[in-house]
Amino acid sequence: MPHLDERLKKVAQEIRVKTHADIGSDHANLLVALLRSGRVLKGIAIENKQQPLFHSETALLGLNAEARFADGLDGIAEGEVDSLSICGMGAESIVSILSSHPKRIPELIVLQPNRRADLIRRWGIDSGFHLVDEQMVYGHRPYVILTYRKAGHGADPAYRQIDHQADLLLGPWLVQRREASFVDLLHEEHRYWEQFTQISQASLKRRDAIQRVLKRWALL
């Protein structure tokens, strides 16, 4: 079984279905671990470049899985898979993939963006997917893992409207849980932004959101 870093271990823990697809799987470590642990019965790796496709094909030999050469959701049919993961991409790319074929998105999706998780949170609200869990993993840098389930209609209960913008930027479940490591991360980021006399509008919104949350917790 391949060694998974803490980031992919957390992703794997969110998945237990019959058929799972992983977009941009590269060496297919996540799929191999899911298959060998019995968390999934069938795996589909989707790659849009030949070298990663070859890596995935090699890793999946002998397993109930296949690697497909396709661009994102072009590689699966509607209703073919029970869950989907996309890890290690920017949020812009992830949202673009999900928006390309909304009817092909399964009930469960697990996403690990390298940046701008707020764009995915906005996508979830606009697309009828509820954020059922989010976790922070601390590796080379902090990574957020977002778990969504298709909900259709109704407001996402993760967002309690105390400070909607802060929830979007920082994560509603992370803010609600207020874990010590997350609080430390917010303090560290706030100190970073305080160094600058001029920052971009997007950075200013994030700094102000952090400041509001820390003040609400009486930590600033």
Side-chain angles (χ1 to χ4, degrees):
M1 183 179 298
H3 172 74
L4 297 182
D5 59 20
E6 288 303 312
R7 174 182 60 100
L8 290 183
K9 282 180 183 177
K10 290 290 187 183
V11 172
Q13 289 168 7
E14 296 296 300
I15 300 162
R16 188 182 288 277
V17 296
K18 182 178 178 181
T19 304
H20 179 77
D22 187 39
I23 294 177
S25 59
D26 194 13
H27 289 76
N29 286 345
L30 175 63
L31 275 180
V32 172
L34 288 170
L35 287 158
R36 290 185 174 170
S37 65
R39 298 188 75 89
V40 306
L41 299 180
K42 180 181 178 181
I44 300 171
I46 300 173
E47 299 289 356
N48 64 359
K49 294 181 176 63
Q50 288 291 347
Q51 192 63 35
L53 179 71
F54 173 75
H55 291 160
S56 291
E57 288 174 334
T58 302
L60 294 170
L61 283 174
L63 297 171
N64 186 26
E66 59 180 297
R68 299 177 182 176
F69 186 65
D71 192 8
L73 291 171
D74 288 347
I76 58 173
E78 184 178 344
E80 184 179 13
V81 301
D82 305 297
S83 62
L84 173 76
S85 56
I86 310 176
C87 304
M89 297 186 193
E92 299 90 342
S93 297
I94 293 175
V95 169
S96 177
I97 289 169
L98 295 173
S99 301
S100 65
H101 294 289
K103 291 185 177 180
R104 299 185 187 182
I105 303 172
E107 293 289 323
L108 172 68
I109 52 176
V110 185
L111 309 170
Q112 181 267 298
N114 284 344
R115 58 183 182 275
R116 293 299 308 272
D118 58 297
L119 298 180
I120 294 176
R121 296 187 186 104
R122 171 54 65 187
W123 168 86
I125 291 171
D126 293 342
S127 303
F129 278 80
H130 285 183
L131 181 61
V132 295
D133 197 13
E134 61 184 348
Q135 303 171 72
M136 186 74 78
V137 178
Y138 302 89
H140 296 296
R141 55 192 169 110
Y143 296 100
V144 178
I145 296 164
L146 307 163
T147 303
Y148 282 93
R149 285 197 177 273
K150 188 180 292 185
H153 302 290
D156 188 338
Y159 298 91
R160 299 184 178 180
Q161 304 301 320
I162 296 172
D163 187 335
H164 187 64
Q165 187 179 59
D167 281 348
L168 279 174
L169 291 171
L170 308 177
W173 290 116
L174 297 174
V175 170
Q176 288 175 43
R177 289 170 182 152
R178 192 176 161 179
E179 294 175 355
S181 54
F182 179 65
V183 174
D184 290 344
L185 186 68
L186 293 188
H187 274 296
E188 182 181 344
E189 187 173 345
H190 186 263
R191 287 192 296 269
Y192 172 79
W193 292 124
E194 287 291 283
Q195 300 176 76
F196 301 99
T197 55
Q198 289 187 324
I199 56 177
S200 69
Q201 193 64 28
S203 298
L204 181 63
K205 286 182 180 179
R206 185 169 176 88
R207 186 202 68 184
D208 289 350
I210 293 171
Q211 188 166 291
R212 291 196 305 274
V213 168
L214 291 175
K215 284 184 176 178
R216 189 198 315 161
W217 292 340
L219 296 175
L220 194 67

